Amino acid sequence: MNIRELRYFTSMSYTQHYQHTADIFNVSQPAVSRAIAALENELGAPLFEKQGRNVVLTRYGRIFAEHTRAALHELDAGVQRIRDLRDPNKKIVDISANFAMAALYLPPLMRQYQTRKQAQSGNVFFQFRQSDTPHIMQDLREGISEIGFASYLEDQPEFKFEPVARYEMGLLVPCDHELTRQSRISLADAAKYPVVLSADTTHYVENMFQRAGQTIAVSCRMNEDHAIAALVANGFGVAVVPWNELLQNENVKLLHIDDPNAYRIFYLVTLRARILSAHAEDFRKFILSHTMLG
């Protein structure tokens, strides 16, 4: 089977008409018929059956169409991405970021950078992926992204970690929780309740409690902070997250933690051995010039 045959079949799965499909591709009807027959022969199953003057998908055809539509969509997206990367008029920066940086730090800076570049030399387009720190490292290794925004990981000499932001960590509790009567909360106070943890393999929050000499009971884990807030609101426990006022829209309250270690530093991460594209390097320099850490 080849791409042409798959495109003919996928088009036929919508039109359910040989001549209409032939017209779309500007080929003869027999060419489409031969392509469908070749697919059916290779798969060992009929993909269409006659219904009056038209044809309809068989059970096998419906199943196959689900996969060919998805596969061709991904293929076309890849082709378009390469064309975008090769287009000198389209300035693309590929970024992978953890959930906190994607929500709190990057949006205003990305917009500020876009505005500046539009005034100077045209638009900049960001290809953006969200994940946890280990997967961000993998994105950088595989070349999916050029720049990462993540937590620090020990024993990763192939990466360069440049600190760019420091955020206070707050305690999320339900709005009617007894701790809301206190202005500041110790980690010992928080450890009295089940804790909802981020699915973060850096174990940052667990280590924070451990440094304070506290043992916690983990109720569950969740990746994204708004989802963690929803779990807290529904009585799964309390949670320690980077301070984000928007989380209080989830029927929870953020409380200040009275502990010198209740903060988190986030980093701009790049591969040392890989030279950044001109657009990615320019964005990196822009971020470093606007770092919250001075």
Side-chain angles (χ1 to χ4, degrees), residues 152-266:
Y152 183 79
L153 281 183
E154 298 283 350
D155 301 321
Q156 298 291 327
E158 65 190 301
F159 293 102
K160 183 177 183 179
F161 291 86
E162 299 176 281
V164 292
R166 170 175 165 151
Y167 283 100
E168 175 187 356
M169 302 294 282
L171 183 71
L172 274 178
V173 299
C175 284
D176 58 354
H177 198 279
E178 59 186 347
L179 287 179
T180 59
R181 296 192 292 268
Q182 301 177 214
S183 59
R184 298 187 72 87
I185 309 299
S186 70
L187 288 176
D189 292 329
K192 295 175 183 176
Y193 305 92
V195 179
V196 180
L197 286 178
S198 169
D200 181 356
T201 54
T202 63
H203 303 296
Y204 190 90
V205 173
E206 296 100 307
N207 293 336
M208 185 187 304
F209 277 101
Q210 189 175 31
R211 286 194 298 270
Q214 302 298 319
T215 301
I216 57 174
V218 180
S219 65
C220 57
R221 292 178 181 269
M222 178 62 70
N223 269 324
E224 197 270 330
D225 287 351
H226 284 275
I228 289 174
L231 290 172
V232 171
N234 282 277
F236 281 83
V238 301
V240 176
V241 296
W243 192 274
N244 181 359
E245 295 285 352
L246 294 177
L247 294 177
Q248 298 189 112
N249 295 334
E250 305 287 350
N251 200 30
V252 293
K253 187 169 182 179
L254 262 175
L255 305 176
H256 292 282
I257 299 173
D258 189 15
D259 189 282
N261 294 313
Y263 67 88
R264 190 162 192 173
I265 295 176
F266 295 105

Side-chain angles (χ1 to χ4, degrees), residues 11-278:
S11 178
M12 278 273 294
S13 74
Y14 292 112
T15 67
Q16 303 197 44
H17 196 285
Y18 281 95
Q19 188 58 56
H20 290 173
T21 297
D23 292 341
I24 290 171
F25 290 96
N26 196 28
V27 298
S28 67
Q29 180 176 326
V32 177
S33 299
R34 287 193 297 271
I36 300 302
L39 283 174
E40 291 177 327
N41 182 62
E42 184 170 349
L43 293 169
L47 299 174
F48 296 95
E49 58 189 4
K50 288 188 177 181
Q51 188 176 83
R53 294 184 176 181
N54 295 338
V55 293
V56 296
L57 287 165
T58 65
R59 172 172 173 264
Y60 307 108
R62 288 194 298 272
I63 293 171
F64 192 51
E66 291 178 8
H67 294 280
T68 61
R69 290 169 183 175
L72 290 175
H73 175 77
E74 285 297 312
L75 177 63
D76 290 339
V79 170
Q80 186 58 52
R81 186 174 179 192
I82 295 301
R83 287 174 177 167
D84 288 343
L85 288 170
R86 297 282 294 172
D87 186 345
N89 296 316
K90 290 188 177 180
K91 303 172 178 64
I92 298 176
V93 180
D94 289 295
I95 295 171
S96 290
N98 63 21
F99 298 99
M101 292 293 273
L104 300 173
Y105 179 76
L106 282 171
L109 283 173
M110 290 166 65
R111 186 61 188 140
Q112 185 178 345
Y113 182 77
Q114 274 192 330
T115 301
R116 190 185 77 170
K117 297 305 288 186
Q118 284 172 347
Q120 292 177 348
S121 56
N123 198 17
V124 175
F125 180 70
F126 291 98
Q127 302 256 97
F128 201 87
R129 292 165 60 91
Q130 282 183 280
S131 193
D132 58 15
T133 294
H135 285 97
I136 291 169
M137 304 292 105
Q138 193 61 32
D139 284 351
L140 295 174
R141 287 190 186 98
E142 295 178 1
I144 295 171
S145 296
E146 290 191 271
I147 295 175
F149 291 90
S151 301
Y152 183 79
L153 281 183
E154 298 283 350
D155 301 321
Q156 298 291 327
E158 65 190 301
F159 293 102
K160 183 177 183 179
F161 291 86
E162 299 176 281
V164 292
R166 170 175 165 151
Y167 283 100
E168 175 187 356
M169 302 294 282
L171 183 71
L172 274 178
V173 299
C175 284
D176 58 354
H177 198 279
E178 59 186 347
L179 287 179
T180 59
R181 296 192 292 268
Q182 301 177 214
S183 59
R184 298 187 72 87
I185 309 299
S186 70
L187 288 176
D189 292 329
K192 295 175 183 176
Y193 305 92
V195 179
V196 180
L197 286 178
S198 169
D200 181 356
T201 54
T202 63
H203 303 296
Y204 190 90
V205 173
E206 296 100 307
N207 293 336
M208 185 187 304
F209 277 101
Q210 189 175 31
R211 286 194 298 270
Q214 302 298 319
T215 301
I216 57 174
V218 180
S219 65
C220 57
R221 292 178 181 269
M222 178 62 70
N223 269 324
E224 197 270 330
D225 287 351
H226 284 275
I228 289 174
L231 290 172
V232 171
N234 282 277
F236 281 83
V238 301
V240 176
V241 296
W243 192 274
N244 181 359
E245 295 285 352
L246 294 177
L247 294 177
Q248 298 189 112
N249 295 334
E250 305 287 350
N251 200 30
V252 293
K253 187 169 182 179
L254 262 175
L255 305 176
H256 292 282
I257 299 173
D258 189 15
D259 189 282
N261 294 313
Y263 67 88
R264 190 162 192 173
I265 295 176
F266 295 105
Y267 297 80
L268 186 155
V269 189
T270 52
L271 269 173
R272 294 183 183 276
R274 184 170 297 153
I275 298 175
L276 298 179
S277 67

